[in-house]
Amino acid sequence: MSVDTATVKRIASLARIAITDEDAARIAPELGNILGWIEMLGEVDTTGVEPMTAVIPNTLRLRDDVVNADPLTGGNIREQVLANAPVAEHGFFAVPKVIE
Amino acid sequence: MTDLTDLGIAGIRDGVRDGSFSARDVADAFIVKVSQAKALNAFLVETPDHAIAAATAADTARAAGETLKPLAGVPIGMKDLFCTKGVTTTAASHILEGFTPTYESTVSQNLWDAGAGMLGKLNMDQFAMGSSNETSAFGNVISPWKRNDGNGVGGNAALAPGGSSGGSSSAVAARLCPGATGTDTGGSIRQPAAFTGISGIKPTYGRCSRWGTIAFASSLDQAGPMARDVRDCAILLEAMAGFDSKDGTSLQLDVPKWEAGLSASLAGLRVGIPKEYRVDGMPEEIEALWQKGIDWLKDAGATIVEVSLPHTKYALPAYYIIAPAEASSNLARYDGVRYGIRDLPAGSGLQDMYAATRADGFGPEVKRRIMIGTYVLSAGYYDAYYTQAQKIRTLIARDFEKAWETCDVLLTPTAPSAAFALGEKSADPIAMYLNDVFTVPSSLAGLPAMSVPGGLDKQGLPLGLQIIGKPLDEQGVLNAGLAIEQRAGFTARPEAWW
Amino acid sequence: MSDYRIQGDTGEWEVVIGLEVHAQVTSNAKLFSGAATAFGAEPNTQVSLVDAAMPGMLPVPNRECIRQAVRTGMAIEAQINKWSRFDRKNYFYADLPQGYQISQLYHPIVGEGAIDISLDEKNPDAAGKRIGVERIHVEQDAGKLMHDQHPTQSYVDLNRSGVALMEIVSKPDLASPAETGAYLRKLRSILRYVGSCDGNMEEGSMRADVNVSVRKPGDELGTRTETKNVNSVRFVMAVVEQEAKRQVEVLEAGGKIVQETRLYDPDRNETRSMRSKEDAHDYRYFPDPDLLPLVLDDAFLEECRASLPELPDAKRARYEALGITAYQATVLTAEVEAARWFDALLDAGVKPAAAANWTTSELFGALNRTGRDIANSPVSPAQAAELLGLIADGTLSGSLAKQVFEVMLETGDGAAKVVEDRGLKQTSDTGAIEKVIAEVMAANADKVADYRGGKDKLFGFFVGQTMKAMGGKANPAVVNEVLKSALGESVAP
Ligand SMILES: [Mg+2]
Ligand SMILES: [Zn+2]
């Protein structure tokens, strides 16, 4: 499996990780190696096998429609929500201006 | 007077209860040990106040004649993957530097509710990605163990404590705390436990709530205890586990009384030996230890059967698709908007901010896994990689189900080698990934599994044995572990050099 | 079949339209957290740790949101999938704290269904068309970015982040702006009947992504564009019209349609490309490992079905069977509040046809005049039933009833009380009526003679004079009868 630097840069861009050309060139063979190793999975015949959906047989539990029933998963905690923000102003998170 | 830090969890608990010593004395003793062990770099944050407060509460309760909580007077170490209210939590990543949660993870809350106190936050592989604790943004954790021959490769070199719970393993092995929390995604409790001569159990997926624990790979992550022996693991796990309505994958089951259920008499127990775990190039000493383990279990009354887990060799590559895929998505939230660091190159926009923040904030191994995960999920590759891996995961789970028709627990080595020197494997990711070859299959199947120390290799380094159990059969795993522990008589401990 | 065509230089073009409607699910709390969903709160106050995607947070789904999606599916006779699951759609944007939207791609909760639309309101039974619905899935809404509060920064409000949406995806069965409008109105009506969405487009409770392509009749499907987040029926219809026109122009000029995302600018009534967001999206969908498969049991499904109200089409058919005209039945059932009001009126024992006439003319007229909607009608169904009862039993004539209704609108009093207070009771007292008629005839002896001389049309004049003299309170039937005999008495030559 060979991965070229263009692919590395496309993946890095999808993952929003800035990458230099040198880094992309360095990572390409490394990624190629790992992906090549992973590709041994292709040799397993999985016809008719369902992909695993739940590790332990269990289905989704649903919650009641009650506001702030549990303070740990409820609202009205703006201070907590903004407490760690790199930039917060007037009750908002602030980010560099987005032009739409 | 005995050194209180020589005691394990049960010893401390019982001593505080019967008044042999105060909880405060215990806390103080460990606090001193922690403060003197900077060379191990096991702690990222020390929280003596937390430990003292819990100790004082225990002493006060005892003085008032109240019934003490299960972990009253027991100070522990907390892996930095658990969010702790008011205490910096970083998952050992630069991207979360300065992050102070306003909330407490369910597992840590459960421990505080049981009366435990916190000595500090433990270093780890960044975002729990690693097997040697070399990916922390805050420096390697050093194992307290040293090779004894001085002539071997690396000689007196600093050794890896295993990973990702390397701060936990190092701290428990060095007697900086009697027990610690760990998390295990593909072996991150068991492999470091094996490397440092301690015990650790990963419970059935869903036993411990994942709420408030920083996610690595959601379908695999499980918290569990790391401690000096099987009993201490049982005590800690009882406090950590339990149903949590905030975690949709939490099992709605009562927590069994694992400590009370401990029994090393294994009459009638069938122990499976998976033949596929005899891998090429496995050190003879590990083969030998495995055989010893078989003999010990026989001696405890178990019968031994050979079983086959035919898809074992595909577990690791499947894991290296599934875990990075989930991680690539789970780690998308670290974007410099709501917490952690923000890198904003002059004149750049939102998307550049993301890319710069994440490039600066994540370490190389985290980036590598995000890239792999992004790649395998990307258009055109999803079915070939991710879907195929999840199908193989089904086959791996079926292998185990089939095995349970003829046996009750499985016995294997925990890791394919003893601890290696720091730097020894970091150049080759795949060689590093192979550390988890024995631990990953049970993670993929969500099964309970534990590592107990079995002995030392020729260089004087600990080796671990792994017991894998049926879903929800932590008791069976603990009991087999206890039988080994009693027969192995493992008492070795690292000599303090730090 | 729609005969909507765009006349181009090279001939006629058909339009093919599909809608993806995002409807906010009516629920108190968000889809995966306990934060409130109410509209208009202070920024970031209705945000939980989960909605802000703090480290270690996990989603647990809200049963009510699942229930409403299932009920909606049942209302359009769609396949309900007892096994579904949530997937993550991965992309980076400041309104998306997790870095992914939890949605359903591979196994949506609701499969194929259909919605019947009618294109002729006057004759709803004649011009119907069945529009296929591909699927309904449940997903999270995103937060909101504010760009106009700061010169160099955008502000992020996560109040909407994690609010439950149903995405209702139609098949490309729509063929004209009119059909598209009718579909959206009908869908909105059904959602409001079911109670799964308030349909409030101004507050963003319903938004449509409009997929449009054009082709020569009989050709293969053309390349489509998707115009995002259009928030009124009128705008959706305008998008179809403008976008189809634009595409025809491009194609006839020898150009190609680019598959892209577009935006509608209502001020200029045109769509334009959102190139700034064009990023070769690769969403890397995969099953959300935090959420196990969603398995619905029979009891849950039964409750969903049992709690469904009578839906617009069934109600309209029932009204028609009661002798109400098709047009009136359509008008009465279009809005759930009107239908509910009218049902209450019927429940009070009023004759259906008379009730429908009165409601669609008198009540709707009055509401229109006073700018009120039926939810705030000053006259309750019980009061209206009382009024209609007084008409039916002859206590009130039509014109008296109008007067009484006016007073009811003003005062909120019941019909009987108004009649009592204002003495507006109709009289059927033959003696009194005979006396007035005699006076009218005496005062208009010439006209009596003309009538008797054959000018039949003057009969109405005598009715009017009599009613006027009696202040409108005379029973018209009695007046007619008495007048006929009084005027006819001396007809003999
Ligand atoms: Mg869309
Ligand atoms: Zn959508």
Side-chain angles (χ1 to χ4, degrees), chain C residues 20 22 167 209 226 228:
Chain C
E20 294 163 23
H22 285 97
E167 182 171 332
D209 297 344
E226 181 179 16
K228 288 241 180 224

Side-chain angles (χ1 to χ4, degrees), chain B residues 15 26 28 69 95 103 124 133 143 148 188 202 238 240 247 261 266 268 287 300 311 338 377 435 451 457:
Chain B
V26 174
D28 287 344
K69 294 174 177 171
I95 207 160
Y103 51 95
M124 53 181 281
N133 227 300
S143 173
N148 63 9
S188 282
K202 175 197 97 71
E238 263 182 64
M240 293 167 71
D247 174 358
L266 305 184
E287 280 277 2
H311 296 91
R338 295 166 315 286
L377 289 176
N435 264 293
S451 179
D457 71 0

Side-chain angles (χ1 to χ4, degrees), chain A residues 14 16 53-54 59-60 62-65 67-68 73-78 89-95 97-98 100, chain C residues 28-30 32-34 43-45 48 60-63 85 92-93 146-147 150 152-156 279 293:
Chain A
L14 260 182
R16 293 299 184 277
T53 52
T59 54
L60 194 51
L62 302 175
R63 202 183 79 244
D64 289 340
D65 183 28
V67 173
N68 301 342
T73 55
N76 282 330
I77 49 160
R78 180 156 80 182
E89 290 173 9
H90 312 298
F92 295 96
F93 296 100
V95 296
K97 193 152 196 124
V98 179
E100 277 186 328
Chain C
N28 300 315
K30 291 185 180 180
F32 294 117
S33 87
N44 291 310
T45 52
S48 68
V60 179
N62 181 336
R63 181 182 295 103
R85 69 172 304 176
F92 288 89
Y93 203 59
M146 245 106 10
H147 307 297
H150 190 283
T152 61
Q153 295 191 316
S154 293
Y155 283 163
V156 187
D279 186 24

Side-chain angles (χ1 to χ4, degrees), chain C residues 132-149:
Chain C
V133 170
E134 185 75 45
R135 56 189 283 153
I136 301 178
H137 63 255
V138 176
E139 63 185 23
Q140 299 177 296
D141 203 351
K144 234 179 139 155
L145 283 187
M146 245 106 10
H147 307 297
D148 48 6
Q149 318 249 326

Side-chain angles (χ1 to χ4, degrees), chain C residues 17-337:
Chain C
I17 305 137
L19 289 189
E20 294 163 23
V21 174
H22 285 97
Q24 180 179 335
V25 179
T26 304
S27 66
N28 300 315
K30 291 185 180 180
L31 179 54
F32 294 117
S33 87
T37 59
F39 181 76
E42 286 290 298
N44 291 310
T45 52
Q46 293 180 167
V47 180
S48 68
L49 299 168
V50 180
D51 310 313
M54 301 305 281
M57 291 301 102
L58 297 171
V60 179
N62 181 336
R63 181 182 295 103
E64 181 62 11
C65 301
I66 304 301
R67 179 176 170 270
Q68 292 293 23
V70 169
R71 293 174 74 246
T72 305
M74 287 172 167
I76 60 163
E77 276 154 48
Q79 185 199 321
I80 306 300
N81 294 324
K82 292 175 83 171
W83 194 99
S84 67
R85 69 172 304 176
F86 288 98
D87 301 304
R88 293 184 182 178
K89 177 183 184 178
N90 295 284
Y91 65 95
F92 288 89
Y93 203 59
D95 62 7
L96 191 74
Q98 292 164 141
Y100 54 84
Q101 177 196 33
I102 305 179
S103 180
Q104 298 187 299
L105 176 72
Y106 299 109
H107 298 281
I109 190 163
V110 176
E112 289 191 24
I115 292 178
D116 292 324
I117 60 168
S118 72
L119 299 169
D120 181 355
E121 234 189 32
K122 299 273 176 201
N123 186 9
D125 295 321
K129 182 171 173 182
R130 170 155 285 215
I131 308 300
V133 170
E134 185 75 45
R135 56 189 283 153
I136 301 178
H137 63 255
V138 176
E139 63 185 23
Q140 299 177 296
D141 203 351
K144 234 179 139 155
L145 283 187
M146 245 106 10
H147 307 297
D148 48 6
Q149 318 249 326
H150 190 283
T152 61
Q153 295 191 316
S154 293
Y155 283 163
V156 187
D157 174 12
L158 299 179
N159 277 351
R160 283 195 74 89
S161 164
V163 165
L165 302 177
M166 290 180 280
E167 182 171 332
I168 303 149
V169 182
S170 86
K171 298 199 172 179
D173 289 352
L174 298 158
S176 70
E179 286 185 12
T180 310
Y183 169 80
L184 196 53
R185 278 192 299 267
K186 184 64 174 285
L187 172 61
R188 182 173 176 274
S189 168
I190 292 171
L191 296 176
R192 285 162 50 77
Y193 266 75
V194 170
S196 57
C197 171
D198 67 17
N200 191 333
M201 296 188 88
E202 300 81 64
E203 293 180 2
S205 298
M206 260 179 98
R207 286 114 68 190
D209 297 344
V210 188
N211 291 286
V212 176
S213 65
V214 296
R215 64 176 169 191
K216 287 284 175 65
D219 275 7
E220 302 263 284
L221 279 178
T223 305
R224 67 185 166 86
T225 61
E226 181 179 16
T227 305
K228 288 241 180 224
N229 278 327
V230 188
N231 64 357
S232 84
V233 176
R234 195 160 56 86
F235 290 168
V236 167
M237 293 170 70
V239 164
V240 172
E241 199 175 331
Q242 297 310 319
E243 183 54 18
K245 232 191 268 173
R246 185 192 68 87
Q247 290 186 11
V248 167
E249 277 163 24
V250 169
L251 291 170
E252 292 200 328
K256 269 191 162 176
I257 302 304
V258 188
Q259 181 161 352
E260 63 178 354
T261 305
R262 299 180 69 86
L263 221 123
Y264 178 63
D265 180 346
D267 297 331
R268 308 170 70 171
N269 189 29
E270 62 180 29
T271 67
R272 62 164 188 269
S273 179
M274 292 173 71
R275 276 185 233 286
S276 62
K277 270 196 175 177
E278 219 57 32
D279 186 24
H281 279 314
D282 184 344
Y283 291 123
R284 291 157 286 137
Y285 277 100
F286 77 110
D288 191 325
D290 286 329
L291 292 160
L292 296 158
L294 173 57
V295 181
L296 304 176
D297 63 25
D298 291 335
F300 183 85
L301 295 176
E302 253 160 56
E303 188 284 324
C304 288
R305 199 172 291 285
S307 68
L308 277 187
E310 185 181 37
L311 294 162
D313 288 344
K315 206 178 275 285
R316 189 165 58 82
R318 177 164 64 84
Y319 287 177
E320 285 187 48
L322 291 171
I324 294 169
T325 68
Y327 173 63
Q328 285 177 339
T330 303
V331 172
L332 285 168
T333 55
E335 284 295 330
V336 66
E337 286 86 0

